[in-house]
Amino acid sequence: MHPEYLKLSVTDPTSYDSNTPNRFSAEHVMVLNDRDTAYSLLIGFISSADQLTRLAVELDESGVKLLSAFSSGDGVEVDPGETVISEELVIMESNDGYALLESFAELWGKRMRALLWAQIPTGWCSWYYYFELVTEADILENIRFLSSHREEFPLKFIQLDDGYQAALGDWLLTNEKFPHGLEYIAESIKAAGFTPGIWLAPFMVEETAQLLTAHPDWLLKDTDGEIIWATVWRNNRIAVLDGTHPGVQEYFLSLFSTLAGWGFEYVKLDFLSWACIGSGGHYYDRKATRAQALRRGLAAIRKAMGKRFILGCTAPLGQVVGLVNGERIGPDVTPYWQPEREFSKEAPAMPNVCRNIINRSYMNGRLWISDPDTHICRSDNNKLSENEVLLWTYALYLTGGMVLLSDRFASLSPERAELSKLLLKNPGIFETRPLDFFEREYPSVWLRRDKTNGEILVGLFNFAANTQKITVDLRKIENGTSFRLEDVQTGQQFKTEEPEFTLPLPAHSCKLLKLS
């Protein structure tokens, strides 16, 4: 894994080992499966408010050689008579490994008092077409289009993403591309009949930010009292706000109360993992762990936002349960299949996003409303092929969760727009699972059951660079001797008396079937 992704993806980068054969690591939860017998064993932490947790397993010829579970106290000193309790660990067994994850998430969500939302959030996000080059004019153009095509695109939120701010940390100050400021943007969105949303990376502070100059005492420091520069952002060094500092908590209360007062009912909080890096430094509260530093800052934001919608992104998943309503469960989607350069398993790339959203489908509706990332289907500013666009559309359709679009409507063809409309027809939380969870790193057979109407859909995916034959075992879905199937895209129907069938799929393509 690339070092930059490693810092944001795992609890303890120094202990992460991806090179030793038969040694595996996991955050929060792990499932061990015996392929011959289907027996599965789950080990996981169903509480996650105070400590970061991880698991490690090493296998040998006889089976499990070593199994370890860690609940990190982060070196916090314990006074005489003081008690520190680890997060709560459970061990579960079954012959259905994915059902174990679903049951585990139920326990986890109840233990952490998960927050959901009365409706599935739908909206438009500026990032994946305009990226950081977005302008005030771009936002207004798309608002005008959506206002005049409301029945075609029944969206609720308009979310301004990265690119408006004067600097990371100076969130209420806009750059020259937004001459009228954030309050004007919020008023324009509301006037068009939509609900304003906005992106922030609340714990990150650019070295050029006014906030850094005014409050250097709020920043995470090393043991010598010097500011820790956690990363580089567009050629500027980045410091991290200390979530345990009372001043930071008051700042978050003021910042998000102001945004809420301007009409922003939805906030996307990105790069939350930086809040709990704790690398080589200490917090204002010397007794606080990294998990507590993140959650105290988030709790202040939640207090300011009240019952408004909070979306977490790039976060240690367990530590945000109970404070966010939605959570991104994979890397960024991309307007290309994968980078031309070498890339890691957590880098933004279409196969990586799809792997994460299907493997983590068990979280949706139990820990939060999952955010699989935005739908992109345009022809311009997009290197995805026709098959790849359709694959991404069906991946979102099967897994459910939040539905956000991110194309420029003025250049979106009517044919491609139909794909976005498909997602908006029936947004929901579905019982979706990979049927080949233990067989493939990138699951190829996805099952979705809709509890409201009993509909059963099966998606066949080929993530390979050449044609592959994908086999479906219908006995994993339904009991019976005769099955009727319909190709959702073409409407073609066929019947099979065999419980297994195999279909060839071209590279980077998907077929969606309805089972009856």
Side-chain angles (χ1 to χ4, degrees), residues 58-75:
E58 188 171 342
L59 308 176
D60 61 16
E61 297 82 0
S62 61
V64 178
K65 177 182 177 181
L66 179 68
L67 177 61
S68 304
F70 301 89
S71 187
S72 178
D74 294 329

Side-chain angles (χ1 to χ4, degrees), residues 42-63:
L42 178 147
I43 309 98
F45 292 91
I46 60 168
S47 65
S48 45
D50 296 310
Q51 296 155 3
L52 296 174
T53 59
R54 63 185 178 92
L55 301 111
V57 64
E58 188 171 342
L59 308 176
D60 61 16
E61 297 82 0
S62 61

Side-chain angles (χ1 to χ4, degrees), residues 323-375:
L323 290 171
V324 301
N325 307 99
E327 175 61 30
R328 173 76 67 76
I329 54 172
D332 280 8
V333 70
T334 50
Y336 50 82
W337 183 255
Q338 64 188 39
E340 296 179 357
R341 55 176 172 77
E342 185 178 352
F343 63 99
S344 76
K345 297 292 180 65
E346 289 303 321
M350 190 61 73
N352 290 349
V353 178
C354 290
R355 179 202 63 220
N356 278 30
I357 68 172
I358 185 60
N359 284 345
R360 291 174 172 171
S361 185
Y362 69 93
M363 298 177 174
N364 197 14
R366 296 182 174 94
L367 304 180
W368 45 58
I369 298 175
S370 290
D371 171 23
D373 211 0
T374 69
H375 185 232

Side-chain angles (χ1 to χ4, degrees), residues 354 357 390-400 446 461 510:
C354 290
I357 68 172
L390 192 62
L391 179 148
W392 177 232
T393 301
Y394 284 160
L396 294 174
Y397 189 69
L398 287 167
T399 52
W446 302 13
F461 292 81
C510 170

Side-chain angles (χ1 to χ4, degrees), residues 117 119-123 156-157 266 309 325-326 369 401-404 427:
W117 197 252
Q119 295 179 322
I120 300 299
T122 59
K156 178 177 177 63
F157 295 105
Y266 166 120
F309 191 89
N325 307 99
I369 298 175
M402 297 176 62
V403 180
L404 296 179

